[in-house]
C-alpha cells in the first residue's frame, strides 16, 4: 500500500533564482528545470520503493541458484550489482 503525505497550512510561494554565480561567472539559465527536478525526485522515490521491496523479501522467496545475502543491506547492494552487470 502506498503512503501519501498531506501538508496542511498556507501554500508556500517561492521563486527560485534564474541565474547562479559559479566561480567568477554567472549562468545564463537555471541549472535545472522544474520538470527535471520533479523527474529526478520521482526516480529517487522509485529507487526507494524498490529498495524497500528488495530488502523486505525473504530469501526463500527468490527462485535462483545464485547466492542471496541474508542481511537486507547487503541484499540491496547485491541486487544493484546485478542490475549494473
Amino acid at each position: 500500500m502506498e503512503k501519501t503525505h498531506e501538508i496542511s497550512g498556507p501554500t508556500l510561494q517561492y521563486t527560485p533564482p534564474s541565474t547562479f554565480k559559479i566561480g567568477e561567472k554567472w549562468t545564463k539559465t537555471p541549472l535545472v528545470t522544474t520538470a527535471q527536478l520533479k523527474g529526478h525526485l520521482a526516480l529517487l522515490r522509485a529507487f526507494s520503493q524498490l529498495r524497500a521491496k528488495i530488502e523486505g523479501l525473504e530469501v526463500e522467496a527468490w527462485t535462483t541458484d545464485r547466492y542471496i545475502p541474508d542481511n537486507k543491506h547487503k541484499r540491496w547492494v547485491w541486487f544493484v550489482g546485478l542490475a549494473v552487470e
Side-chain angles (χ1 to χ4, degrees):
M1 179 179 283
E2 187 174 319
K3 293 181 183 178
T4 59
H5 302 281
E6 293 185 28
I7 300 172
S8 61
T11 303
L12 300 176
Q13 297 295 322
Y14 173 72
T15 304
S18 58
T19 62
F20 299 87
K21 186 174 182 183
I22 300 176
E24 296 299 319
K25 297 186 178 188
W26 285 87
T27 62
K28 295 181 180 178
T29 60
L31 298 175
V32 295
T33 65
T34 301
Q36 290 169 327
L37 180 59
K38 286 181 179 181
H40 181 71
L41 292 174
L43 180 63
L44 290 177
R45 181 177 184 195
F47 277 124
S48 176
Q49 290 172 337
L50 179 61
R51 182 177 185 165
K53 189 172 188 175
I54 296 299
E55 289 181 344
L57 289 174
E58 296 296 326
V59 174
E60 294 80 25
W62 296 66
T63 55
T64 181
D65 293 333
R66 294 185 180 210
Y67 164 75
I68 301 170
D70 289 331
N71 176 286
K72 67 181 185 177
H73 174 71
K74 289 182 180 181
R75 187 177 318 140
W76 173 247
V77 172
W78 170 81
F79 182 83
V80 171
L82 290 178
V84 172
E85 285 184 5

